[in-house]
Amino acid sequence: MTDHGTKTAPGTVLIVDDDSDYLAQMEVQFAARGYRVLTADGRAAAEEILAATRPDLAILDLMMDNADDGFMLSWSLKKRYPDVPVVLVTAVTSETGYTFEGRTGASSWIRADRILSKPVRFEQILAAVEGLAGHGG
Amino acid sequence: MAAEVQAGRYRVLVADDEEGMRLAVERALRGFTVSIPETGEELGLDVVLVDSGEAAVEEIGRRTPDIVLLDHKMGGMSGLDVLSWLEERDLDLLAVMITAYASIETAISATRKGAYDFLPKPFTPGELRVSVRQAVTHLAAVRRSRELEEEKRRVRFQFISVLAHELKAPLGAIEGYLYVLQDRNAVSDPAVYDRIVDRCLVRLVGMRKLIYDLLDLTRLESGSRRRELSDCDVREAVTASLETMGPDAASRNVTLLREEPGEPVRLQADPSELGIILNNLVSNAVKYNREGGRVTVRLEDRPDQVVIAVSDTGIGMTPEELGRLFHEFTRIRNSKTKDILGSGLGLTILQKLASLYGGKVGVESVPDEGTTFTVTLMKPPVDAP
């Protein structure tokens, strides 16, 4: 593992995406920053992990190939662990122009703290994650 | 668009200030139908009568008719005035001018203003029907070709959208990996580094395959692909294909088998087309197989056709998946196929090629047991249209 200074371990991140390449990239980059990384390629696998582990952070793809799996997963994750920050990433906006702006938050049906639009750089995800952690998570 | 077209009925608006004329027109068109041979439709007419140009404009504004019969000379707005009013609006209708003062000047100015036809008074019911039939037939043909054009545009747009998506996916994956490599701290483990480079190459190869398939398909569809037919032994094409696919099969421990007659299987064919057909079939059978499975290429020489059947012992498909199989870019996505790369165009290409030989592609499948694709090629070959 690479040394990233004296900061304490940032914790466990759960990454869920049905694109195995994207999953591999996220895994390598989060691991390099000291995270313990759990990955799942779909909702079922993610639910299994969540039943056993409380992550400190979750990055979920909307997985639109499987209808609303991403939304359902974020819903059930927030129900189980209300304090775990959830970042949703989706290619929906770049592919359809549909925007989720202003649709997050406690009153929304979308249970995510941030929604990022794919293609998204790892730095953007990291910035979002650090921003959420900075606000007390 | 064309929402006013009622199934099987056209609306005919008649504007004439003489009541006798209006009633005569109505009587002549009552029960009259126009048959459209291209669509097999029998169009009935709903006749609406108005007694002035102003009333015609009002009626058209309320509901666009299909055909307008306009008297030239009416008090107030004349037939030509109504034509001018129509000219400013792009309405989906045809206008026919009726006039007692049949002069060439009126005819010309009416035609300039967009009238489709010109009917001189007095006319017989028969002449009126001929004129109305022509207008209805013409309008129906225009609408039909517009619909076909729109359908073509829609299909094309959909094809390009899906294609763009399929090309974007590998680019996105490769870009993502490059960013990982750019972050020099991210990859310290050589095994991880190797895996990243391997994945980039796999996605690149897949993307190139898509582009080649797309070129094949475009050439086939445009008919610009030059065919060179010769007397072929299909067994030789099988040999070549099995040699090409050998390494892929070996890497997955898949055994390639062949069953064929002892003598040549003759067919007038383009060897490169046979190559594409067999490579498509065998490569699918290897890709969608299980580790250690079998692929069997069976050739059958029938009096009127050659049958190529390629069976695998792979993941198979459900009836529902089979139903979607032959659509462009339909790659059956499930947990068993998610790591298998394909352009989604292979079967479309296969079908196009088979049709060049008057043949077709069939498929039978049992989930988790395997799939058999059967291509029949007719002899002698039927040329492409």
Side-chain angles (χ1 to χ4, degrees):
Chain A
M1 191 123 306
T2 322
D3 182 15
H4 274 280
T6 53
K7 274 199 272 184
T8 53
T12 299
V13 57
L14 170 67
I15 307 168
V16 187
D17 202 304
D18 53 2
D19 178 340
S20 57
D21 287 312
Y22 180 81
L23 218 49
Q25 292 157 15
M26 288 295 116
E27 182 174 10
V28 168
Q29 286 170 296
F30 271 108
R33 278 159 185 82
Y35 283 86
R36 173 171 168 249
V37 184
L38 303 172
T39 61
D41 65 359
R43 184 176 159 203
E47 297 276 14
E48 221 168 279
I49 291 174
L50 288 171
T53 317
R54 178 192 183 281
D56 298 299
L57 166 72
I59 317 281
L60 314 179
D61 180 67
L62 273 188
M63 296 174 288
M64 293 311 270
D65 278 353
N66 295 302
D68 50 4
D69 269 10
F71 288 126
M72 300 296 280
L73 184 57
S74 66
W75 186 279
S76 73
L77 193 154
K78 279 291 190 188
K79 195 169 167 195
R80 198 193 288 259
Y81 308 117
D83 300 332
V84 172
V86 171
V87 176
L88 273 178
V89 288
T90 173
V92 167
T93 304
S94 64
E95 280 174 17
T96 67
Y98 183 84
T99 159
F100 293 96
E101 222 144 281
R103 286 174 192 273
T104 56
S107 61
S108 168
W109 56 274
I110 301 176
R111 292 301 154 93
D113 299 278
R114 285 293 303 276
I115 298 187
L116 297 176
S117 182
K118 276 187 180 179
V120 58
R121 296 279 307 271
F122 177 70
E123 287 76 14
Q124 291 170 269
I125 295 183
L126 206 60
V129 165
E130 279 161 3
L132 289 173
H135 288 93
Chain B
M1 205 65 243
E4 66 275 14
V5 183
Q6 285 209 344
R9 295 201 77 78
Y10 268 28
R11 228 169 128 77
V12 180
L13 175 65
V14 182
D16 199 312
D17 55 358
E18 283 174 62
E19 192 183 13
M21 185 56 68
R22 291 199 299 274
L23 295 178
V25 170
E26 188 183 35
R27 218 169 17 245
L29 296 181
R30 189 180 300 150
F32 180 60
T33 60
V34 180
S35 53
I36 309 293
E38 292 82 32
T39 59
E41 260 181 311
E42 190 75 24
L43 295 171
L45 304 177
D46 294 321
V47 179
V48 180
L49 304 174
V50 293
D51 60 5
S52 69
E54 288 81 357
V57 163
E58 195 183 326
E59 173 61 25
I60 294 169
R62 189 159 43 229
R63 185 172 165 198
T64 311
D66 301 291
I67 308 289
V68 185
L69 298 178
L70 287 173
D71 185 24
H72 173 224
K73 194 146 191 305
M74 293 183 282
M77 259 181 122
S78 73
L80 282 180
D81 294 336
V82 177
L83 276 186
S84 303
W85 182 85
L86 284 173
E87 221 184 351
E88 290 163 18
R89 289 155 182 82
D90 191 20
L91 296 178
D92 182 26
L93 58 76
L94 285 184
V96 175
M97 281 292 283
I98 307 173
T99 182
Y101 307 95
S103 69
I104 194 81
E105 286 78 18
T106 331
I108 289 172
S109 53
T111 314
R112 279 219 183 108
K113 286 183 185 301
Y116 169 70
D117 197 8
F118 193 78
L119 186 62
K121 275 189 204 175
F123 49 80
T124 65
E127 286 166 338
L128 174 69
R129 289 191 200 113
V130 167
S131 179
V132 168
R133 177 187 291 124
Q134 276 174 358
V136 167
T137 309
H138 180 78
L139 186 59
V142 167
R143 286 177 178 170
R144 173 138 182 78
S145 83
R146 193 169 50 211
E147 272 166 28
L148 289 176
E149 209 43 53
E150 271 164 25
E151 172 70 8
K152 243 164 56 186
R153 249 200 312 272
R154 209 179 49 73
V155 167
R156 196 177 158 70
F157 174 76
Q158 201 177 12
F159 183 86
I160 291 173
S161 311
V162 178
L163 176 64
H165 177 88
E166 295 293 321
L167 287 170
K168 219 171 57 180
L171 273 185
I174 294 164
E175 186 185 19
Y177 281 123
L178 286 176
Y179 281 132
V180 175
L181 293 181
Q182 197 181 41
D183 178 0
R184 290 187 170 271
N185 294 320
V187 189
S188 47
D189 181 350
V192 172
Y193 180 90
D194 288 350
R195 207 178 64 216
I196 289 176
V197 173
D198 283 349
R199 280 305 296 173
C200 285
L201 289 171
V202 165
R203 298 306 302 257
L204 271 177
V205 168
M207 188 164 178
R208 181 155 53 218
K209 168 92 171 91
L210 170 56
I211 292 170
Y212 282 157
D213 280 358
L214 192 66
L215 288 173
D216 272 348
L217 189 61
T218 310
R219 275 200 287 267
L220 279 173
E221 281 192 332
S222 67
S224 68
R225 191 172 185 288
R226 185 133 42 90
R227 306 186 68 206
E228 283 169 18
L229 297 178
S230 60
D231 188 21
C232 298
D233 181 356
V234 185
R235 297 181 311 169
E236 288 171 14
V238 173
T239 305
S241 171
L242 293 183
E243 276 170 13
T244 307
M245 295 310 301
D248 279 0
S251 73
R252 305 200 54 217
N253 275 326
V254 170
T255 312
L256 300 175
L257 303 167
R258 58 198 295 181
E259 291 171 15
E260 61 200 13
E263 56 274 4
V265 178
R266 296 260 163 235
L267 185 72
Q268 275 291 317
D270 182 324
S272 69
E273 288 170 4
L274 287 182
I276 298 175
I277 291 173
L278 278 156
N279 285 342
N280 246 309
L281 289 171
V282 177
S283 124
N284 273 347
V286 170
K287 267 196 304 195
Y288 294 96
N289 221 312
R290 58 178 162 78
E291 184 83 20
R294 279 188 321 277
V295 171
T296 309
V297 182
R298 197 169 51 77
L299 274 189
E300 209 181 311
D301 195 356
R302 294 186 189 165
D304 59 333
Q305 57 183 252
V306 171
V307 179
I308 306 169
V310 178
S311 311
D312 63 53
T313 53
I315 56 182
M317 281 169 283
T318 64
E320 189 268 331
E321 288 169 337
L322 280 177
R324 287 187 285 130
L325 189 61
F326 284 100
H327 297 139
E328 279 160 357
F329 292 121
T330 297
R331 299 202 50 241
I332 304 303
R333 285 176 207 270
N334 57 38
S335 58
K336 289 180 270 184
T337 65
K338 71 187 183 60
D339 289 326
I340 301 174
L341 290 171
S343 70
L345 292 175
L347 288 178
T348 308
I349 292 171
L350 208 53
Q351 275 184 317
K352 290 249 152 49
L353 281 173
S355 73
L356 291 179
Y357 292 85
K360 55 185 193 307
V361 183
V363 56
E364 280 174 43
S365 190
V366 180
D368 294 321
E369 283 188 19
T371 303
T372 299
F373 279 96
T374 308
V375 176
T376 50
L377 305 175
M378 305 305 286
K379 47 182 180 181
V382 177
D383 277 336

